[in-house]
Amino acid sequence: MADAACDDAVEQLAALLDQVEAPLKKTFENVHQGYPTETLVRFLKAREWHVNKAQKMLVDSLNWRIQNEIDSILEKPIIPVDLYRSIRDTQLVGLSGYSKEGIPVFAVGVGLSTYDKASVNYYVQSHIQINEYRDRFILPTVTKKYGRPITTCIKVLDMTGLKLSALNQMKIVTAISTVDDLNYPEKTETYYIVNAPYIFSACWKVVKPLLQERTRKKVHVLRGCGKDELLKIMDYSSLPHFCRREGSGASKHSSNDPDDCFSLDHPFHKELYNFIQEQALNLELIKQGSLHVKIPEQDPEDAKIVEVIEAEFHKLGVENKSANGVGKD
């Protein structure tokens, strides 16, 4: 799309947003963190530069924030700490460091996340808290440090341990990705897939053609643990722990390893949890119980992709059984 047309679309969307009510404008400030234009561009990209569709998406997202009190979600700790620790041990995500250009690098243990130690509400709450902390504190900090707007991150997805039984977690994974797609669009500039087993490759083959070209271009499937490729864009100290060494056991999650960025003992998670605790104490808000965040209605195109993944998993399961003569994971 030509620059002039892009600028025009941004202007139109800004003018439309100018007409919304004050509470929506207020929550929009929390979203854009002083960079409204970059935020409007993200929503426009997510809707292929259709101004009206982008406006609907943005207004729906702002309403969702107000209805679910997202602006105050960083004041609502998940307690007791043992419950939070078990969430961290089963929803594997963490900040491993920064690229050479200052872009935050988030590691995600796709294959080894089990989501089986708490209710869906807690996992969704924790995920949104990480998003909000990233957008309101981490990105503004690096923006200031580098003197230019840094509004996106890099994700390194570890597929170690991905099995057919991952279908059992499909519902929760879909809920989380729907929250991201509709309320945090275009926040990831590149996805690096590492340690991909056959089951991932088989699924990727059928899913890839269904993705928007824009999304397809962001996904890079790397060989093995991806170390050599990733070292071109980040220092060794920022490499997720599962990319640091090849071979068996390289990706095992150990919550006692200080380099394991999934663990509650990692500096990022300690800092985040302490921050939320402090906010709550200041407001004397600490109470037990998860926050019920309404999951937005899934985009029909995304629903179709989920169906295709499920069908492929079932197909692989049938092939696996007939090849081995027995049911095998």
Side-chain angles (χ1 to χ4, degrees), residues 62-81:
L62 297 176
N63 278 316
W64 172 82
R65 291 181 69 87
I66 291 169
Q67 285 154 11
N68 294 283
E69 300 179 0
I70 303 298
D71 288 341
S72 59
I73 202 167
L74 292 176
E75 297 155 7
K76 292 168 183 162
I78 294 172
I79 51 173
V81 72

Side-chain angles (χ1 to χ4, degrees), residues 128-186:
I128 294 171
Q129 286 177 330
I130 291 171
N131 279 356
E132 290 291 311
Y133 192 72
R134 171 197 69 196
D135 293 353
R136 293 197 236 165
F137 295 93
I138 293 170
L139 291 169
T141 301
V142 285
T143 288
K144 206 168 159 187
K145 181 178 171 183
Y146 285 83
R148 59 183 166 79
I150 296 176
T151 56
T152 56
C153 64
I154 288 166
K155 283 188 180 163
V156 184
L157 311 182
D158 180 24
M159 295 294 163
T160 299
L162 187 68
K163 296 189 176 96
L164 292 170
S165 55
L167 265 188
N168 304 335
Q169 288 115 44
M170 204 62 173
K171 196 172 172 218
I172 189 163
V173 170
T174 302
I176 286 170
S177 68
T178 302
V179 164
D180 277 358
D181 292 344
L182 297 179
N183 301 290
Y184 303 92
E186 299 294 318

